[in-house]
Amino acid sequence: MKKQSTILLIAPITILLVVVLILPLLAVLLPTVFEGGAVTLSRYIAFFQDPYYIKIFVRTLRIALVCTLVCMILGIPTAYFISRVSKKWRGILMSVALFPMLTNSVIRAFAWINILGKNGIVNQILSALHLVDQPLSMLYTEFSVLVGTIYLFLPLMIITLVGVMENIDNDMMEAAESLGASRLLSFFKVILPMSIPGIITGAVLVFTGAMTAYTTPQLLGGPKNMLLSTLIYQRAMTLNDWTGASVVALVMIVTTLIVMKGLNAIAGRLDKRGEN
């Protein structure tokens, strides 16, 4: 009876996912592996043999990995600080951290255009300080895409880690310090290992978002710094090559799953090492 109730409870969402997600995804992806009634991987082989596509693939992977690493470096100390303040200030700081997510991604991208453009705030400050003779070309570069992507997904890393770190008792830090460890060493020996599940979860969220983001790369990168997401749009909407766009989409999905599996494997090894 209990099993039947469980099936009835999960049946609606299962049917919904199959109808609106799995079936459309299969309808898009199956033509990429079938040609003339036979299974073929020629389209994927051609993708990885094309230097132009390889360049875009490597650029996308590099930006996603660097974005994830920077978000970890910035998010871990920020989340630790927020998790250790009083509940009143914690709520305020969490609101500040989440504020960028309340703004549309297009507006955020245009804000960075005003900041990084040749007549933007950064160049105006550098010129006023006489640090540059002419405006720097920071916009429509890989750097601008990376900055915009980090700004976009850093809040995800912070809120994920705060939820983990606020459950770590301060007594553990005090015990480590009483045994002679400095506060910094205590952080690396106590807080950081216990935060590994949250770090991995945050890294997966950030990497997945950075790998598939479209608006920020489109507005800040331009056509010269195309990523897989903007390549999909070009193939489908500009060239009307939906099969080619599906090939790129599947490459993106598989790459994301492989990296996620790798992160989970790293987390498993770190947990086993911590237990030992």
Side-chain angles (χ1 to χ4, degrees):
M1 186 67 179
K2 185 177 180 180
K3 185 177 180 181
Q4 292 178 347
S5 300
T6 303
I7 294 174
L8 289 175
L9 287 173
I10 65 173
I13 188 62
T14 303
I15 295 172
L16 181 64
L17 287 175
V18 170
V19 172
V20 304
L21 178 63
I22 296 177
L23 291 180
L25 192 62
L26 290 175
V28 170
L29 297 179
L30 286 179
T32 66
V33 294
F34 285 98
E35 188 174 0
V39 178
T40 177
L41 298 177
S42 59
R43 293 186 176 90
Y44 296 95
I45 294 173
F47 177 90
F48 285 105
Q49 287 179 341
D50 192 323
Y52 176 71
Y53 289 150
I54 290 295
K55 186 177 180 180
I56 294 175
F57 174 78
V58 172
R59 181 188 297 125
T60 304
L61 188 60
R62 179 172 60 246
I63 288 177
L65 290 173
V66 173
C67 175
T68 303
L69 180 62
V70 174
C71 285
M72 289 171 61
I73 294 172
L74 297 178
I76 290 172
T78 303
Y80 176 69
F81 175 77
I82 293 175
S83 67
R84 289 299 176 264
V85 298
S86 63
K87 289 185 177 181
K88 175 184 175 181
W89 282 103
R90 191 181 306 167
I92 295 173
L93 293 175
M94 284 293 290
S95 299
V96 173
L98 290 172
F99 179 76
M101 299 184 68
L102 303 178
T103 310
N104 187 275
S105 58
V106 176
I107 297 175
R108 282 179 279 182
F110 276 111
W112 280 109
I113 291 175
N114 290 327
I115 294 172
L116 299 176
K118 288 191 174 182
N119 296 319
I121 298 172
V122 174
N123 274 313
Q124 289 180 9
I125 294 174
L126 293 176
S127 298
L129 296 174
H130 302 289
L131 296 177
V132 294
D133 296 328
Q134 56 184 3
L136 300 177
S137 297
M138 293 179 287
L139 197 58
Y140 306 122
T141 63
E142 190 172 316
F143 168 76
S144 63
V145 175
L146 183 59
V147 170
T149 307
I150 292 171
Y151 176 74
L152 191 65
F153 295 108
L154 180 58
L156 287 178
M157 179 65 73
I158 293 174
I159 62 176
T160 303
L161 288 174
V162 168
V164 174
M165 290 183 175
E166 66 182 2
N167 292 321
I168 300 176
D169 201 328
N170 275 326
D171 292 342
M172 295 187 177
M173 286 285 289
E174 294 174 0
E177 291 174 11
S178 67
L179 294 174
S182 64
R183 192 158 187 82
L184 182 62
L185 184 60
S186 300
F187 174 80
F188 283 105
K189 292 292 186 179
V190 177
I191 300 297
L192 200 59
M194 296 184 69
S195 303
I196 291 298
I199 294 173
I200 297 301
T201 302
V204 169
L205 292 174
V206 172
F207 178 83
T208 304
M211 192 77 179
T212 59
Y214 169 75
T215 305
T216 300
Q218 177 71 14
L219 295 177
L220 297 181
K224 292 184 179 179
N225 293 279
M226 188 174 292
L227 302 186
L228 290 179
S229 56
T230 53
L231 178 62
I232 291 173
Y233 181 85
Q234 182 198 65
R235 303 301 302 181
M237 306 306 295
T238 304
L239 303 177
N240 201 29
D241 180 13
W242 285 89
T243 303
S246 300
V247 170
V248 180
L250 186 58
V251 169
M252 180 189 295
I253 292 171
V254 173
T255 303
T256 304
L257 290 175
I258 290 173
V259 173
M260 288 172 59
K261 189 171 181 61
L263 290 173
N264 288 326
I266 293 172
R269 290 183 180 180
L270 291 174
D271 285 341
K272 288 181 181 180
R273 187 176 297 178
E275 292 175 358
N276 295 331

